[in-house]
Amino acid sequence: MTATMPSNPSGRAAIWNLIKPFWVSDQKWKAFGLLFTIIALNLGMVYINVRLNSWNRDMYDVLQARDFPQFKSLLWQFSGLAFVFIAVAIYSVYLTQALQIRWRYWMSERYMDKWLAHRAYYRIEQGQQGRLSDNPDQRIAEDLRVLTSDSLSLVLGFISSSVTLFSFVHILWAVSGPVSFSALGQAWTIPGYMVWFAVVYAAIGSAVVWWIGRPLVGLNFNQERFEANFRFGLIRVRENSEAVALYRGEAQERVQLTARLDDIRGNWWSIMRVTKKLNVAVNFYSQFAVIFPMLVSAPRYFSGAISLGVLMQISNAFGQVQDALSWFINAFTTLASWKASINRLAGFNADVERAQGMARTIEVGRHAGSALTIEGLQLSLPDGSAVLRGMDARLESGEHVLVSGPSGCGKSTLIRAIADIWPYGSGRIGLPAGTEAMFLPQRSYLPIGTLRAALSYPAAEGSFDDATIARYLALCRLPQLAGRLDQAANWSHALSPGEQQRLAFVRVFLNRPGLVFLDEASSAMDGETEEALYAALPRELPGVTVVSIAHRETLARFHSLRWKFVPLGEGEGCRVEVAAL
């Protein structure tokens, strides 16, 4: 399987734009305080490693000399260094995790705000063409976690490696000494030869690892996408369990889920193949690095030029320098995962910003009057296809209008335009200032939680007293729910479609808007209940203005006007005829 990624604005500028905001926010002083403390602790660990390098030399020299008193002294010295190292290491990890969760929490709040602001979450899903991102839930929940944790890991690792290199390279230079040899008829001397061996060794290893592992960025990008698609498919089955069961659609759902699982498996095998090659190179590089300094330093030791302690110090210093120079090799898998997350977040960020900056060609605003006004409204689909042509209408306060016409002619799109969530088209829509509006779709949204919270939505839980809630539950023919207000459940599964629509009417009566838009919001109710609720609207909400989409003519008597959608022809959209009832 070939790794493919969509074109993403994920260059260095985009990476900086993703990382920078937190570090210039109101959290910057705490963040930098934590960061500098963590860096100081890491520098402390490097210092202790330098001390341990000298201790390592002294210990082997003492063992070679069989000096027991000095041996005991060195053990106490090691105990002190080890105790301090353990304490520093523990708090380094603890404070790193603290900084990570602070950064992630701040970033998650910021991206949730951007995603929800200006209804970008809706516009992204509606404008499918040209999208750079998919599964926004994964971007916010998973990719931000990877961005924050891996960014800290990579930066702190790089700083630690740089300081380790600076601290140990002069030790290695001094203790390894020069090496002399003859070649091409001349005598050559290389000072600090072990340093040059470490540089060349790390350079070759880094080049090989990069060449083998570079496909991992694209493969990790695809893997996260396939995993999210599979999870989304499982969630869809759970959310629509009743419909799937009634249709006996298990076999078809299994086919679709298996196809998504096959994507995961195929891409995972590709990751496995690349990772296997990468592990061969990395493990060979790491294991050979253990004996390499011994092989190079052994001639000087056996000639008596250096002691056993110096030999072990050279080996340890070479390991530290080689490990510092191998930062890219050790961090390559993390870098690949981090870069894939950067690509996904950059695409998501671009989609959100594009949705927020989408030109508002339909002007929806508030005016001082009491009427709902529509002037020169034209609606289209995202691809430019006409839906509605040249609608002009005026709805006075307290009037009720019935919107009718063939299915698929744009009636719901008109409601979306009035709600200011449909950006495709032109014209002006005026809503009376100071008048709250409430929109009821055919399928009501019920948040998971207590019934009281579901009834109060979009108001906060506890906004209405139990007596008022019980009264409107009885009015909407749901008295059996009055004793379950504190029960938490997934109410979209616990209630039938008709009960869910009646519950939405309870919300209308509780929130008491001045404008109510009903998009087939009673289609699942029986006729008697539907008529009872329509009759209750002007009685319970005096002066309320109602715009309702419905197919049942029995509801006409509850309305004073009709907006009838009349098709104009293939691809020409519809026009609206306004008539009294």
Side-chain angles (χ1 to χ4, degrees):
M1 177 177 290
T2 303
T4 58
M5 288 188 296
S7 176
N8 271 304
S10 53
R12 278 178 288 184
I15 294 173
W16 178 239
N17 287 336
L18 290 172
I19 293 175
K20 174 185 174 182
F22 175 70
W23 300 96
V24 296
S25 70
D26 57 349
Q27 297 289 313
K28 62 183 177 182
W29 298 117
K30 291 181 180 178
F32 278 112
L34 280 171
L35 180 63
F36 290 146
T37 302
I38 295 165
I39 291 173
L41 291 173
N42 285 347
L43 296 183
M45 287 192 288
V46 173
Y47 171 75
I48 294 173
N49 281 328
V50 171
R51 292 286 305 275
L52 288 173
N53 179 263
S54 299
W55 178 92
N56 199 53
R57 176 199 61 202
D58 295 340
M59 174 58 77
Y60 277 97
D61 283 342
V62 165
L63 290 173
Q64 188 177 28
R66 293 181 173 85
D67 186 345
F68 183 67
Q70 188 63 22
F71 172 77
K72 290 191 294 182
S73 175
L74 286 173
L75 285 181
W76 282 109
Q77 183 182 345
F78 176 82
S79 298
L81 291 172
F83 179 81
V84 174
F85 185 89
I86 291 170
V88 170
I90 289 172
Y91 275 94
S92 175
V93 173
Y94 178 79
L95 294 179
T96 300
Q97 290 175 331
L99 179 55
Q100 177 187 334
I101 193 60
R102 282 180 177 272
W103 189 4
R104 180 187 176 187
Y105 187 85
W106 188 91
M107 289 283 284
S108 297
E109 281 198 316
R110 180 171 182 264
Y111 271 83
M112 285 191 297
D113 288 343
K114 291 180 67 173
W115 184 52
L116 294 173
H118 307 292
R119 300 176 181 87
Y121 62 92
Y122 176 80
R123 293 179 177 178
I124 289 174
E125 298 302 320
Q126 293 301 312
Q128 296 290 332
Q129 295 181 347
R131 281 180 57 184
L132 298 174
S133 62
D134 49 41
N135 301 300
D137 53 317
Q138 180 205 28
R139 312 295 171 114
I140 296 173
E142 182 63 20
D143 289 332
L144 284 177
R145 181 191 65 80
V146 173
L147 171 69
T148 54
S149 62
D150 286 0
S151 293
L152 285 176
S153 173
L154 292 170
V155 169
L156 294 174
F158 180 78
I159 292 174
S160 179
S161 295
S162 300
V163 175
T164 298
L165 178 63
F166 178 80
S167 301
F168 280 91
V169 72
H170 77 277
I171 296 176
L172 184 60
W173 183 281
V175 298
S176 64
V179 63
S180 301
F181 59 94
S182 298
L184 303 176
Q186 295 187 43
W188 300 84
T189 299
I190 302 177
Y193 72 102
M194 290 296 291
V195 173
W196 301 110
F197 274 120
V199 171
V200 173
Y201 188 79
I204 294 174
S206 297
V208 171
V209 167
W210 174 82
W211 179 71
I212 293 174
R214 57 183 177 174
L216 279 179
V217 174
L219 291 169
N220 283 332
F221 183 100
N222 284 339
Q223 190 66 23
E224 290 298 328
R225 177 163 60 90
F226 294 148
E227 295 280 3
N229 289 341
F230 181 57
R231 286 195 302 270
F232 180 73
L234 294 171
I235 292 171
R236 287 282 295 169
V237 173
R238 189 189 70 190
E239 289 182 342
N240 298 278
S241 56
E242 182 178 359
V244 172
L246 291 173
Y247 276 114
R248 302 294 191 267
E250 295 84 1
Q252 184 60 29
E253 294 300 327
R254 175 63 184 268
V255 169
Q256 294 184 17
L257 291 173
T258 301
R260 294 179 178 184
L261 192 58
D262 285 342
D263 289 338
I264 293 175
R265 181 179 62 177
N267 195 74
W268 186 256
W269 276 104
S270 298
I271 291 175
M272 287 171 58
R273 285 190 287 270
V274 175
T275 303
K276 181 177 70 173
K277 296 176 184 177
L278 189 64
N279 283 336
V280 169
V282 170
N283 283 301
F284 179 83
Y285 175 88
S286 300
Q287 293 303 314
F288 190 66
V290 175
I291 62 169
F292 183 76
M294 293 283 192
L295 293 175
V296 178
S297 303
R300 297 189 67 206
Y301 170 72
F302 287 111
S303 68
I306 58 176
S307 66
L308 177 63
V310 174
L311 174 65
M312 301 310 297
Q313 186 180 24
I314 290 174
S315 177
N316 180 264
F318 179 89
Q320 295 283 357
V321 171
Q322 176 265 330
D323 191 58
L325 290 171
S326 303
W327 173 84
F328 176 78
I329 295 174
N330 298 330
F332 188 85
T333 302
T334 302
L335 275 168
S337 174
W338 176 81
K339 187 59 169 63
S341 293
I342 288 289
N343 290 348
R344 289 190 295 270
L345 283 172
F348 175 61
N349 194 53
D351 278 343
V352 169
E353 291 182 352
R354 183 167 57 184
Q356 291 181 340
M358 188 178 293
R360 295 180 59 185
T361 53
I362 300 175
E363 182 183 338
V364 181
R366 297 280 181 169
H367 58 76
S370 61
L372 167 65
T373 60
I374 299 175
E375 300 175 21
L377 182 63
Q378 300 197 52
L379 301 176
S380 61
L381 298 176
D383 63 4
S385 302
V387 173
L388 176 64
R389 294 187 179 276
M391 179 181 177
D392 292 284
R394 181 182 181 87
L395 195 61
E396 298 294 342
S397 176
E399 288 189 312
H400 295 201
V401 61
L402 177 65
V403 183
S404 61
S407 296
C409 64
K411 301 186 296 298
S412 296
T413 306
L414 171 62
I415 300 296
R416 296 186 188 111
I418 296 173
D420 198 17
I421 64 174
W422 190 263
Y424 309 106
S426 61
R428 292 186 298 277
I429 298 172
L431 300 172
T435 302
E436 294 297 324
M438 183 171 261
F439 297 82
L440 270 63
Q442 182 177 14
R443 185 178 179 183
S444 182
Y445 169 68
L446 302 178
I448 297 174
T450 65
L451 180 59
R452 180 181 285 103
L455 286 163
S456 303
Y457 189 86
E461 182 178 3
S463 299
F464 311 104
D465 62 79
D466 290 2
T468 304
I469 294 175
R471 175 174 175 267
Y472 285 124
L473 281 172
L475 176 64
C476 295
R477 304 190 177 187
L478 293 170
Q480 70 277 12
L481 297 180
R484 301 171 65 185
L485 295 181
D486 293 316
Q487 181 179 336
N490 186 347
W491 296 104
S492 61
H493 288 174
L495 302 177
S496 70
E499 288 174 322
Q500 293 180 43
Q501 290 186 341
R502 279 178 273 163
L503 188 148
F505 270 81
V506 175
R507 287 177 178 167
V508 172
F509 294 128
L510 289 172
N511 286 277
R512 308 189 70 79
L515 281 166
V516 177
F517 298 86
L518 307 173
D519 186 0
E520 298 191 52
S522 59
S523 58
M525 300 181 196
D526 62 272
E528 182 184 349
T529 300
E530 182 180 48
E531 292 180 17
L533 294 184
Y534 266 89
L537 280 171
R539 185 177 68 249
E540 297 293 332
L541 305 175
V544 68
T545 302
V546 178
V547 177
S548 58
I549 298 173
H551 291 288
R552 294 173 184 166
E553 276 301 313
T554 53
L555 296 179
R557 65 190 181 91
F558 299 103
H559 301 81
S560 54
L561 292 173
R562 183 193 296 271
W563 291 347
K564 185 177 181 180
F565 278 63
V566 180
L568 295 174
E570 186 71 26
E572 295 297 321
C574 298
R575 61 182 173 84
V576 174
E577 295 179 350
V578 180
L581 284 173

